[in-house]
Amino acid sequence: MKAVRFHEFGGPEVLRYEDVEQPTPGSGQVRIRVAATSFNGVDGNIRAGFMQGPIPVELPHTPGIDVAGTVDALGDDVDEIAVGDRVIGFLPMTAAGAAAEFVIAPADILTGAPKNIPLADSAALPLVSLTAWQALFDHGNLTAGQRVLINGAGGAVGGYAVQLAKEAGAHVIATASPRSAGRVEAAGADDVVDHTTTDVTAAVTEPVDLVLNLAPVSPEQLAALVSLIRDGGTLVNTTVWMPAPSDEERGVRGIDLFVRSDADQLADLVARVNTGELRVEVAQRVALADLSALHAQAGASELPGKTIVTL
């Protein structure tokens, strides 16, 4: 089969489009004929060698954490999935990924793909939607009537976070650049702050219950957001290279989010896509053979939005 792998850590040029032996599923696993994977920022960090501590991978390594495709073969002890099922999933980060014609996946991390969008486009859903859900509800405990500030809402996680928070009945304040402000407004944000021209701490004049930080801000900028949170509120931070600040005197918690694969949560998110409550947006589609160029585009901060890699 064809796959993209890197044999050493480094820049986008280490990615090789090459022939690889087709994998065989073991017990509890399935083989998926890949329709698409997607690009996530962590893919570039793993390739560059920046994540060898928390995400140790064996070389050569195939990237691609998200998968959408059709089940092609079953290992032993797989009962709830059948050959031919259209599935999506968030793959184990240390295992071989889905930038290949076939990939092995644990059966218990998969759920059925959305029925009302192309199968390949559903590769844009798993990692980023799970990140948004777990940040808002597992850690942020967001409920109807609360106020949430989503800092860095213009990216893929932010788009889902705005939609989910709004659907939950929260008042959503989102920061975005002029390039992504329209997308954020369309997702349902009540207030959009242009962080390129406005100081966020000055723009938010009423306390919020939850701050979700998705932006690569400085530690000082992140710490300043704590002042916007009411007593007893929460800051959830996804930029895990710096710890989330807190304010113990006021009972403000700081939580660093490490997203986890959760098939039940993903199934719930798929159900929301099927009913139209949650929109999956794909800004760009590239071929597997062009993955190196995509990594270079991401490294230059030139991605137009969520990008899927099709086969």
Side-chain angles (χ1 to χ4, degrees):
M1 69 174 186
K2 290 293 187 183
V4 171
R5 303 193 296 179
F6 54 89
H7 295 248
E8 61 276 332
F9 298 110
E13 69 279 357
V14 302
L15 292 167
R16 304 183 192 174
Y17 181 62
E18 58 191 10
D19 291 313
V20 179
E21 185 176 348
Q22 192 178 104
T24 301
S27 178
Q29 298 178 326
V30 305
R31 184 172 65 206
I32 300 170
R33 179 184 291 275
V34 179
T37 184
S38 81
F39 178 82
N40 294 288
V42 70
D43 291 320
N45 290 330
I46 293 172
R47 183 216 69 232
F50 300 151
M51 305 296 288
Q52 294 180 60
I55 310 175
V57 299
E58 293 185 9
L59 300 178
H61 179 70
T62 304
I65 296 165
D66 291 317
V67 64
T70 305
V71 175
D72 160 80
L74 306 178
D76 294 335
D77 301 318
V78 176
D79 301 319
E80 297 183 1
I81 295 178
V83 170
D85 285 355
R86 292 155 57 95
V87 295
I88 63 171
F90 168 25
L91 298 171
M93 289 189 177
T94 56
E101 292 181 316
F102 296 89
V103 68
I104 299 298
D108 60 6
I109 63 102
L110 302 172
T111 193
K115 299 176 181 178
N116 58 344
I117 62 174
L119 178 59
D121 284 5
S122 63
L125 187 66
L127 175 62
V128 287
S129 67
L130 285 170
T131 300
W133 179 272
Q134 291 170 19
L136 291 172
F137 304 113
D138 287 358
H139 299 293
N141 300 315
L142 187 68
T143 58
Q146 291 188 326
R147 290 167 54 84
V148 56
L149 168 63
I150 301 174
N151 193 46
V157 175
Y160 289 116
V162 170
Q163 292 183 69
L164 291 169
K166 192 63 183 172
E167 183 190 352
H171 181 94
V172 180
I173 307 163
T175 73
S177 69
R179 185 175 68 173
S180 57
R183 268 200 325 271
V184 172
E185 289 175 355
D190 296 285
D191 304 302
V192 179
V193 178
D194 180 357
H195 65 82
T196 66
T197 61
T198 306
D199 180 75
V200 179
T201 57
V204 179
T205 55
E206 295 181 40
V208 299
D209 299 276
L210 171 65
V211 168
L212 170 54
N213 180 61
L214 306 170
V217 296
S218 69
E220 294 76 20
Q221 290 172 312
L222 185 60
L225 297 179
V226 174
S227 66
L228 303 176
I229 304 173
R230 65 162 178 81
D231 292 0
T234 306
L235 184 148
V236 178
N237 178 43
T238 64
T239 54
V240 294
W241 57 84
M242 56 182 171
S246 59
D247 186 338
E248 294 183 4
E249 289 186 4
R250 297 195 299 113
V252 175
R253 299 180 302 147
I255 297 172
D256 291 303
L257 170 67
F258 294 87
V259 63
R260 70 182 192 283
S261 186
D262 188 312
D264 290 336
Q265 286 184 352
L266 188 56
D268 179 73
L269 291 160
V270 167
R272 294 165 191 265
V273 174
N274 286 333
T275 60
E277 297 170 82
L278 190 64
R279 297 191 309 277
V280 176
E281 292 191 359
V282 176
Q284 181 179 222
R285 299 166 181 83
V286 303
L288 178 63
D290 297 325
L291 186 59
S292 178
L294 172 60
H295 274 238
Q297 186 183 24
S301 301
E302 294 175 351
L303 289 183
K306 189 62 177 175
T307 299
I308 62 168
V309 180
T310 61
L311 289 96

